[in-house]
Amino acid sequence: DAGVIQSPRHEVTEMGQEVTLRCKPISGHDYLFWYRQTMMRGLELLIYFNNNVPIDDSGMPEDRFSAKMPNASFSTLKIQPSEPRDSAVYFCASSLIPGPQHFGDGTRLSIL
Amino acid sequence: GNSVTQMEGPVTLSEEAFLTINCTYTATGYPSLFWYVQYPGEGLQLLLKATKADDKGSNKGFEATYRKETTSFHLEKGSVQVSDSAVYFCAFRDNYGQNFVFGPGTRLSVLP
């Protein structure tokens, strides 16, 4: 079975550029989560969706961050404009309650 | 509020040593409990889970028992291997299914 698919795996871009991260959840899962992981802050929940609707975006750090889920098989996390402190590994996860979350392999983002 | 507390790492052991990583949680009701493992450069993978009191989750030689009286879910392995070197995350999901909380992670290094 295909797991959670994230793209790109690595992204290097200059400060001020727009960055778009993509996620395809496991088919049939009704929850989708976006996380950010850094050495300093650990794993942080940014936002999660239920049936394509954003439920809790209290973890989104600033207005520069936005996330969408236009359909059940696709979600994006966008940063505009990007800053060096946004450098991190971004994970997408999906789940079907009452099951556990399944994580993608992450996108390693470097903002120069 | 809801939270997960894990023993601070890093934990360094010799191969074949006994492993315990402590985890306690604060949650309302009867959450489901999980251990995830993250190998270098990868996403989090579900290691084991337990959904009700006194359940024991097990996988790959790892075990953890859901102790409601002590609100704990300690991870144990009788004989660790070098390949077990990773970061281990304790987590729970509340019984409403929407609140998924991760601990800060414990880094384990196993030396040959």
Side-chain angles (χ1 to χ4, degrees):
Chain A
D1 289 342
V4 175
I5 300 172
Q6 292 187 245
S7 64
R9 286 298 312 274
H10 303 275
E11 175 86 12
V12 180
T13 191
E14 292 186 348
M15 181 175 64
Q17 297 298 306
E18 179 179 287
V19 173
T20 299
L21 310 181
R22 297 172 176 79
C23 175
K24 177 178 170 56
I26 292 173
S27 178
H29 282 192
D30 55 357
Y31 281 85
L32 184 139
F33 306 80
W34 281 102
Y35 291 89
R36 178 173 67 177
Q37 186 178 42
T38 61
M39 289 295 292
M40 290 295 294
R41 293 175 174 265
L43 191 67
E44 302 174 276
L45 176 64
L46 301 178
I47 185 172
Y48 75 89
F49 296 81
N50 176 222
N51 292 323
N52 313 337
V53 176
I55 302 301
D56 183 355
D57 65 355
S58 60
M60 297 284 263
E62 300 172 31
D63 291 344
R64 299 184 295 107
F65 286 70
S66 62
K68 295 181 179 180
M69 192 166 186
N71 57 61
S73 59
F74 184 66
S75 177
T76 59
L77 178 67
K78 188 170 294 187
I79 309 173
Q80 168 64 17
S82 58
E83 297 183 3
R85 58 195 169 115
D86 302 330
S87 298
V89 181
Y90 291 81
F91 288 104
C92 176
S94 69
S95 71
L96 178 64
I97 301 300
Q101 292 188 13
H102 297 262
F103 283 75
D105 288 334
T107 295
R108 185 172 298 273
L109 177 64
S110 296
I111 309 297
L112 305 177
Chain B
N2 295 330
S3 66
V4 174
T5 302
Q6 289 182 235
M7 64 187 293
E8 289 193 22
V11 174
T12 303
L13 296 174
S14 297
E15 204 165 24
E16 299 184 2
F18 184 85
L19 169 70
T20 299
I21 301 178
N22 290 338
C23 170
T24 57
Y25 65 91
T26 301
T28 56
Y30 301 90
S32 295
L33 305 176
F34 307 88
W35 276 101
Y36 283 80
V37 59
Q38 184 180 28
Y39 299 103
E42 299 183 11
L44 280 70
Q45 303 173 25
L46 179 66
L47 180 59
L48 52 84
K49 66 179 181 180
T51 58
K52 61 183 187 293
D54 299 325
D55 267 2
K56 178 185 285 187
S58 62
N59 186 24
K60 299 181 182 179
F62 291 89
E63 294 183 340
T65 301
Y66 190 140
R67 301 289 188 197
K68 183 157 180 63
E69 65 276 12
T70 55
T71 63
S72 65
F73 193 52
H74 304 322
L75 182 68
E76 296 182 337
K77 186 174 185 181
S79 177
V80 293
Q81 305 300 312
V82 173
S83 57
D84 295 326
S85 298
V87 180
Y88 293 82
F89 293 87
C90 184
F92 75 80
R93 188 193 63 239
D94 67 24
N95 53 344
Y96 301 104
Q98 294 186 357
N99 193 11
F100 215 106
V101 179
F102 282 87
T106 301
R107 183 175 299 278
L108 170 66
S109 294
V110 181
L111 304 178

